[in-house]
Amino acid sequence: MKNKKMNILGVISILIPTILSILILNFFLGIIPTEKFQGMPLIMPIILCPIGAIIGSIGYKYRKDRISKAGVIFNVILFLFPITYNILVTLIFGV
């Protein structure tokens, strides 16, 4: 029973960056036009990805599985994306 609960933590740590990635893709591609959110999809990973990484690391601590490890890696990469995006856009466009 304990292993099932820890697997849920791995799945949650994967779901957080997946949903945020979908929101970021929608922001860039404009699939569903939403003017209410404007730049929020680029700010949300900075807040939510550390939470997902902590959840994934707790799941990996109790049960060493690939899902939790992938969740931690995916959260760290998505956490760094808005930071590098802002730096690159500032360097290229100079705003």
Side-chain angles (χ1 to χ4, degrees):
M1 194 68 161
K2 186 176 182 180
N3 290 337
K4 293 258 185 205
K5 289 182 181 179
M6 294 309 126
N7 193 9
I8 290 173
L9 292 176
V11 171
I12 290 172
S13 70
I14 288 283
L15 281 176
I16 291 173
T18 304
I19 293 170
L20 290 174
S21 297
I22 291 170
L23 288 173
I24 290 172
L25 283 175
N26 184 36
F27 176 72
F28 285 127
L29 300 176
I31 298 169
I32 301 171
T34 56
E35 295 179 9
K36 294 179 183 178
F37 297 124
Q38 293 184 4
M40 189 181 289
L42 293 177
I43 301 297
M44 287 171 52
I46 295 173
I47 299 167
L48 295 178
C49 282
I51 296 170
I54 291 170
I55 291 172
S57 64
I58 291 171
Y60 188 73
K61 179 181 171 185
Y62 288 112
R63 181 178 178 204
K64 308 238 185 267
D65 60 345
R66 291 184 181 176
I67 295 175
S68 298
K69 185 187 267 185
V72 171
I73 293 170
F74 197 17
N75 276 299
V76 169
I77 291 171
L78 194 61
F79 174 76
L80 295 175
F81 174 74
I83 297 168
T84 55
Y85 173 77
N86 286 331
I87 291 171
L88 289 175
V89 168
T90 302
L91 288 175
I92 292 171
F93 295 114
V95 176

